[in-house]
Amino acid sequence: MREYIKTGLILTAFMVAAGLLVSIVYNFVNPMIVQSEFNNTLSAIEEVLKDANTGEYLVSNIPTNEEQLEKNIWKEDQDGVLYVSPKNAKVFSPVYKFTENNTEIYVMTVSGVGYGGDVVSVISFIKKDDVQITLNKIEVINYSQETPGLGPKSLKNP
């Protein structure tokens, strides 16, 4: 009986130590992971703010940090999701609005259901002179759950 108690206490000590170690490592690397994800999104936003035909920027005030980006928030929701379609496609909060020369550019993060999981993209729409809205550009930022051979193909131009 004493051997069982001794073994149980040793295993408990190892479990507590392992849990503590994992917690410390998570708290150490989590800010870097969050910053890396934000930088990835910011880079995608910069890319979709380019004209799809000419490659020139549609706006002169390209955000380079979180504070500048927050100034362009057009619509947001505390739950993090603005819209969910019947097929489970999502528009995430916030949606950004940039204005330049009577042109409005809306930038949003969306996801759609792929074969292995959600495919997350940043897209931009252009609204000129309150007449019509057109899709400008799409930048895929996460296809991590997709099939290794097929997922990367979503990044290639046709």
Side-chain angles (χ1 to χ4, degrees), residues 39-88:
N39 289 342
N40 188 28
T41 301
L42 193 61
S43 175
I45 289 172
E46 180 181 348
E47 187 61 34
V48 299
L49 286 173
K50 293 179 182 176
D51 186 289
N53 298 318
T54 66
E56 295 179 15
Y57 287 110
L58 298 168
V59 295
S60 57
N61 59 338
I62 305 295
T64 57
N65 58 45
E66 195 168 356
E67 293 80 29
Q68 292 174 356
L69 188 59
E70 285 177 357
K71 291 178 185 176
N72 293 295
I73 291 176
W74 174 65
K75 196 170 195 178
E76 65 182 326
D77 188 281
Q78 299 295 48
D79 295 334
V81 178
L82 291 170
Y83 174 76
V84 178
S85 78
K87 293 187 178 184
N88 209 29

